[in-house]
């Protein structure tokens, strides 16, 4: 849908998780589970971070991210993958390291982070609308994509309801409502991305990991 080439943030790592049955049954994980709580938890130090959040199923999903090259590889072997991640978190609290030590063997994924250029724009296509992570310039961060998708849907729904109630034709709705809404959203997104880089000199992820 676009010829734009995503830009590597300089941040890579892995998505891992604790299966619900693991976090509930293992007493050695009690402190870890309490640390995450019912929502999410973030720990940042020495250009690395661990971000954990509780999903609806009870699974504790964790992102182990750090500054590194785009070609960093997560070993295919489970033991090697755990060892590679744990080496990067040497000296961290044991309760945090257990997020890696006890992670689900069938749910480990390489997660390098990319974003689109700040001047990027989506060309409108009749009958289609992009929402959430698919439409925005930023990489996934703290569940913001889901929140943006809900906000996009709410705002677009209000716009469509207004033009339908005004009696406009389908073609008029497309031009007067959806196209204008997309333009406004892209303009806001570009402005936000530009401010982020102007104020910090780095991508949002690097700001977190450089502090």
């Amino acid at each position: 849908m676009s010829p734009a080439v995503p830009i590597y943030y300089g941040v890579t790592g892995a998505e891992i998780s604790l299966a619900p049955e693991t976090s509930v049954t293992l007493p050695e994980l009690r402190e870890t589970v309490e640390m995450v709580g019912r929502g999410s938890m973030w720990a940042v130090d020495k250009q690395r971070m661990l971000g954990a959040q509780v999903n609806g199923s009870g699974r504790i999903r964790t992102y182990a991210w750090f500054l590194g090259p785009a070609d960093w590889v997560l070993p295919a072997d489970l033991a090697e993958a755990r060892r590679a991640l744990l080496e990067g978190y040497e000296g961290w609290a044991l309760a945090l390291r257990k997020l890696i030590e006890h992670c689900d063997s069938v749910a480990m994924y390489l997660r390098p982070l990319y974003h689109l250029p700040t001047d990027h724009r989506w060309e409108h296509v009749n009958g289609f609308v992009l929402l959430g992570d698919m439409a925005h310039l930023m990489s996934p961060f703290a569940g913001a994509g889901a929140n943006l998708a809900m906000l996009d849907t709410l705002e677009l729904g209000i716009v469509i309801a207004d033009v339908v109630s005004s009696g406009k034709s389908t073609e008029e709705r497309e031009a007067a409502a959806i196209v204008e809404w997309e333009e406004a959203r892209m303009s806001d997104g570009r402005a936000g991305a530009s401010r982020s880089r102007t104020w910090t000199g780095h991508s949002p992820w690097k700001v977190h990991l450089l502090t």
Side-chain angles (χ1 to χ4, degrees), residues 72-103:
W72 182 82
V73 176
L74 181 68
D77 178 76
L78 172 63
E80 289 297 323
R82 281 177 173 161
R83 188 176 300 112
L85 289 175
L86 284 169
E87 285 177 357
Y89 295 89
E90 187 71 33
W92 281 49
L94 294 179
L96 291 172
R97 286 171 57 86
K98 286 177 181 178
L99 290 166
I100 301 172
E101 292 174 352
H102 295 276
C103 68

Side-chain angles (χ1 to χ4, degrees), residues 103-140:
C103 68
D104 194 337
S105 61
V106 297
M108 299 185 73
Y109 311 101
L110 179 65
R111 289 288 187 259
L113 296 182
Y114 292 81
H115 67 95
L116 290 171
T118 55
D119 60 351
H120 178 68
R121 59 176 292 108
W122 296 106
E123 295 300 332
H124 176 73
V125 177
N126 287 345
F128 291 89
V129 178
L130 299 179
L131 304 171
D133 283 344
M134 185 181 295
H136 294 275
L137 300 174
M138 64 180 288
S139 64

Side-chain angles (χ1 to χ4, degrees), residues 18-27 29 57-60 102 104 106:
L18 295 178
E21 58 272 18
T22 301
S23 60
V24 171
T25 59
L26 294 182
L29 288 176
S57 64
R59 178 176 292 273
I60 298 177
H102 295 276
D104 194 337
V106 297

Side-chain angles (χ1 to χ4, degrees), residues 11 17 43 45 47 75 130 146-147 156 207:
V11 177
S17 61
D45 186 40
Q47 300 185 348
L130 299 179
N147 293 330
L156 181 58
V207 172

Side-chain angles (χ1 to χ4, degrees), residues 2 28 48-49 51 81 86 196 201:
S2 168
E28 59 265 39
R48 294 177 178 271
M49 68 158 291
L86 284 169
S196 173

